[in-house]
Amino acid sequence: MKKVFKYLTLSAAVSTLLACGSADENQDLPSVDEIPEATLNAIPVSILNGYVANAVVWIDFRDNGAIDGSEPFAYSDGEGFVSFNPNTGVNYCESTLAHEQKYCLATGVDAGNLVIKAAKGIEVMSGEPFKSVLTTEVTVAQSKANIQALANLGERPPGDASDWLDNLDASIIKLSAITSVAYFLPEGQSIETVLTRNGYSLPINTTVEEVLSHDYWARLNNDEALSNELFRAELTIGRVVDLIAINLDKATENLDMGVDGLPISTSDYIYQAVVEALIAGELNTSSARQNSNPAVKFQNLLERVRTKIIEVASSVVSNGVSNTVVNNNLSSSITNLAQIPTNHLTSFSSADKIATFQTTTLGIIPNPIAFEESNQATNTLNFIGSLNNVNNGLSARLRQRASVDLESGLASVPNLDLAEIFKQVKDSSDSNPDLNFEQIFEQTDITPAVNIEDPDFSIAGHNLSISGIHDGNEYGQVISYFTGEPGDNSGELIMCVTYRNPQDPTDDIVGERFVGSWSAITQRMFSLVAEGLRVSMKIRNEVDGGQIPVSSQLPSQPKMPGENYGQYRFNLNDDFADWYSDNPSIDQSFGLLVTEEVPATDAACAAQLSL
């Protein structure tokens, strides 16, 4: 968590130096504080992959996978939209509200092609951190036409909304695993042909435009052939990229990825390697290839990743790092990046070694397909293979739960906890070695940890104090004030933060006040953005104070046996932890209190905090 707060304080310090919609080169997580100029061209975006809220989205003019120079950026709202939310009809780039302007992605460029990227954030469908990077390309002319078409779209009609969804698809840019594959395809290769070659049964005469613009998540309940196959492609391709990227990104932590011209993630390199494998048909998911050894296929892919990273890193160094950013350490960092896959990937000659790498590199993190024990390596690889069939137990059950109700103005998808689901899968696999994955999935409980019983439950007009201990010795307290009227799905956010790191006091924050915006992802999960600080917060449960470990409590905020407290999983930029409400829960309030007064200064914030 150390790096999180270093970036947080850095972004506050440089905020006065930022131009409209631009990021300082040393910022990993920039802040959006300026009102967009009316002359700028808005870029409307929808992030699929289960919809990614709280993501940072930017125009990558330098094509280096990082936000640097004067590159425009924004954040995605609680439903995964940028610049324009068709469910609410709000054009964020025309809004006069500061908390909505953070969702506006705009550029002064008036012609040509734009490379759009999205990183970080939270997957609405799973409730887990989004670890990859997504890419697409769009022309400025198309963006202009899109924003106008969205303005003319109108509200979703009652009943059959197929035509409305078709018009929406044609009017908003998509970012997904599929658009990322399409972006990295070489000239002469088309996305629909490559997917078909690898066993995805797209309907006859499906066009490139349909593949790249189709919102398959919004149509899963309709059991449409194109939606089913694109959903399957996202699971199989996206999760394979995630599995490798999360390992390599963990191995590159000391390189400060995302800073000074280095990419935010190794995901782009992995997508390039996956594209090569797809062109060669090596990821073929058709029944004729089902019997191929998944460990061998995975090993071949890892070798492609290693080669691709070395190739790209060497190219950057040979072209001169001064063309990217002036930094004396960048050349050696990129050289070290090239060595990481050599050191970590080339020794994978067996499933057991792959699992050992996952264990030593990752530690224990909430990644759904990185199991912790060596004897689970084969099951991990077989799991990747099991995702090849859209009718397998897990994807079928996820589809049943993925009912997206656009009429409500909020994506009412289930807020699942994939970390918990896959722990159940692993436990079932250990205890029932004779069962296949489909049978294991059928007996897996995908019910959310907690359901909000009060249909009028809202965090608007409330405040929440949570505290806890992280990594054994780092501790803190955060009080969030959610402005608005009951029932609002978004509003201004005030956060009061105290954080202590006894091993490195330079990380400490004492009673600082941050201003930003909040938005509801689901009734029990929320996206928070404040001056470069990105937080997603999920209500996990209510817990008796006597069951909360003492090691998770602050002495200044003891939890009383016999009283319930709200349990919150929050992801702070790239870090996560479970903390508990400081106030007892009354009538399933999860520790939320009605706000009477919002602190207006750092001193007022410090007075509310107990640390």
Side-chain angles (χ1 to χ4, degrees):
M1 190 171 284
K2 307 177 187 68
K3 194 172 177 181
V4 168
F5 289 100
K6 285 182 179 178
Y7 283 131
L8 187 156
T9 52
L10 175 64
S11 85
V14 302
S15 62
T16 58
L17 303 178
L18 300 182
C20 175
S22 66
D24 181 85
E25 288 175 345
N26 291 311
Q27 280 184 279
D28 181 37
L29 296 166
S31 63
V32 182
D33 296 318
E34 301 290 335
I35 298 175
E37 297 177 10
T39 57
L40 297 182
N41 295 310
I43 316 294
V45 175
S46 174
I47 311 177
L48 301 186
N49 283 60
Y51 303 119
V52 181
N54 212 357
V56 58
V57 185
W58 75 102
I59 303 175
D60 195 9
F61 286 122
R62 292 185 176 180
D63 198 23
N64 62 356
I67 310 172
D68 46 28
S70 57
E71 291 177 341
F73 62 88
Y75 296 102
S76 62
D77 68 11
E79 298 178 40
F81 291 109
V82 178
S83 294
F84 196 106
N85 186 320
N87 297 332
T88 61
V90 175
N91 184 332
Y92 295 127
C93 295
E94 293 182 351
S95 175
T96 59
L97 300 176
H99 72 269
E100 292 186 340
Q101 293 158 9
K102 297 179 185 294
Y103 305 127
C104 170
L105 180 66
T107 176
V109 174
D110 202 46
N113 291 357
L114 303 174
V115 176
I116 312 297
K117 287 184 174 288
K120 307 179 184 293
I122 197 81
E123 292 186 8
V124 177
M125 179 65 185
S126 68
E128 295 302 319
F130 176 68
K131 294 292 188 178
S132 188
V133 176
L134 303 175
T135 309
T136 195
E137 189 171 19
V138 65
T139 66
V140 174
Q142 184 60 54
S143 292
K144 290 181 178 180
N146 284 356
I147 202 74
Q148 185 60 51
L150 287 169
N152 297 332
L153 182 63
E155 296 182 2
R156 174 180 171 136
D160 184 4
S162 300
D163 291 342
W164 187 86
L165 286 173
D166 289 341
N167 290 330
L168 175 59
D169 276 352
S171 305
I172 198 162
I173 301 156
K174 306 301 190 302
L175 279 165
S176 69
I178 296 167
T179 68
S180 300
V181 168
Y183 174 76
F184 288 112
L185 282 176
E187 187 175 352
Q189 297 283 345
S190 62
I191 181 65
E192 82 283 7
T193 301
V194 169
L195 291 177
T196 300
R197 184 186 304 146
N198 283 273
Y200 300 100
S201 303
L202 303 182
I204 297 174
N205 299 325
T206 298
T207 65
V208 174
E209 291 73 18
E210 288 175 315
V211 172
L212 298 182
S213 67
H214 192 74
D215 186 345
Y216 38 91
W217 282 94
R219 294 172 170 81
L220 282 177
N221 281 352
N222 298 343
D223 199 27
E224 298 176 0
L226 181 59
S227 299
N228 289 347
E229 288 304 286
L230 293 180
F231 174 73
R232 183 161 72 98
E234 178 183 301
L235 283 181
T236 52
I237 296 172
R239 289 303 183 194
V240 167
V241 172
D242 290 350
L243 172 66
I244 304 173
I246 201 169
N247 281 274
L248 286 183
D249 288 351
K250 190 70 175 178
T252 61
E253 274 190 335
N254 292 334
L255 299 185
D256 280 345
M257 296 288 279
V259 177
D260 292 336
L262 283 175
I264 285 177
S265 167
T266 59
S267 297
D268 281 354
Y269 309 138
I270 299 166
Y271 267 113
Q272 293 174 57
V274 167
V275 163
E276 292 182 357
L278 287 168
I279 292 173
E282 293 178 359
L283 296 185
N284 196 306
T285 63
S286 64
S287 57
R289 300 291 294 272
Q290 285 292 322
N291 295 327
S292 59
N293 188 327
V296 171
K297 293 169 69 174
F298 198 61
Q299 170 65 28
N300 292 341
L301 180 58
L302 291 176
E303 178 59 27
R304 287 187 182 276
V305 172
R306 184 187 72 86
T307 302
K308 184 57 62 178
I309 292 182
I310 293 174
E311 171 190 319
V312 174
S314 300
S315 174
V316 172
V317 173
S318 64
N319 289 337
V321 299
S322 61
N323 292 329
T324 304
V325 63
V326 178
N327 184 329
N328 294 330
N329 297 321
L330 184 58
S331 178
S332 60
S333 294
I334 294 177
T335 301
N336 291 335
L337 176 63
Q339 293 302 314
I340 285 171
T342 301
N343 297 337
H344 289 279
L345 301 183
T346 54
S347 62
F348 289 165
S349 58
S350 68
D352 181 71
K353 289 184 177 180
I354 294 174
T356 300
F357 167 71
Q358 291 174 0
T359 304
T360 56
T361 307
L362 284 175
I364 299 175
I365 58 175
N367 181 37
I369 52 179
F371 292 105
E372 301 148 17
E373 298 177 9
S374 294
N375 61 10
Q376 288 300 311
T378 301
N379 281 342
T380 301
L381 297 171
N382 287 335
F383 166 71
I384 293 172
S386 74
L387 291 179
N388 290 336
N389 184 354
V390 75
N391 293 317
N392 75 57
L394 180 61
S395 64
R397 297 189 70 195
L398 288 179
R399 285 182 60 238
Q400 293 170 7
R401 294 295 305 271
S403 56
V404 181
D405 181 10
L406 296 178
E407 284 185 278
S408 67
L410 189 66
S412 60
V413 297
N415 184 202
L416 306 177
D417 189 332
L418 283 188
E420 294 296 326
I421 291 174
F422 278 84
K423 182 179 186 302
Q424 292 183 47
V425 172
K426 176 183 178 299
D427 292 343
S428 296
S429 178
D430 289 344
S431 60
N432 301 286
D434 296 331
L435 294 181
N436 59 37
F437 271 84
E438 285 73 16
Q439 292 171 311
I440 291 174
F441 289 146
E442 283 300 322
Q443 62 186 30
T444 300
D445 181 15
I446 63 171
T447 302
V450 62
N451 286 306
I452 307 298
E453 296 177 1
D454 183 357
D456 296 324
F457 177 84
S458 173
I459 66 170
H462 291 77
N463 68 80
L464 172 69
S465 177
I466 61 173
S467 61
I469 299 174
H470 183 71
D471 287 344
N473 62 342
E474 301 169 31
Y475 57 94
Q477 181 183 15
V478 178
I479 306 178
S480 302
Y481 294 84
F482 310 99
T483 66
E485 299 297 324
D488 285 356
N489 289 326
S490 64
E492 186 182 42
L493 170 75
I494 305 296
M495 296 185 75
C496 299
V497 179
T498 288
Y499 167 79
R500 308 275 190 178
N501 180 5
Q503 293 184 341
D504 186 358
T506 61
D507 282 347
D508 288 0
I509 298 174
V510 182
E512 290 193 27
R513 178 180 182 270
F514 298 91
V515 181
S517 62
W518 67 270
S519 58
I521 299 175
T522 68
Q523 197 181 26
R524 55 188 286 268
M525 191 163 85
F526 315 97
S527 168
L528 318 178
V529 177
E531 298 181 35
L533 173 69
R534 297 176 312 105
V535 180
S536 61
M537 185 179 297
K538 175 169 57 177
I539 303 175
R540 296 201 69 190
N541 221 324
E542 286 191 334
V543 181
D544 186 285
Q547 297 177 334
I548 300 174
V550 175
S551 59
S552 299
Q553 302 180 39
L554 300 183
S556 60
Q557 294 290 347
K559 306 301 185 284
M560 300 293 104
E563 293 185 335
N564 285 335
Y565 296 84
Q567 179 184 10
Y568 290 83
R569 161 68 59 89
F570 71 93
N571 294 277
L572 221 134
N573 291 342
D574 289 324
D575 218 334
F576 71 94
D578 278 358
W579 283 7
Y580 299 87
S581 68
D582 296 323
N583 297 298
S585 174
I586 300 174
D587 295 331
Q588 204 181 22
S589 70
F590 302 99
L592 285 158
L593 298 179
V594 175
T595 298
E596 296 181 358
E597 184 177 357
V598 178
T601 64
D602 285 349
C605 264
Q608 300 298 315
L609 295 158
S610 63
L611 289 179

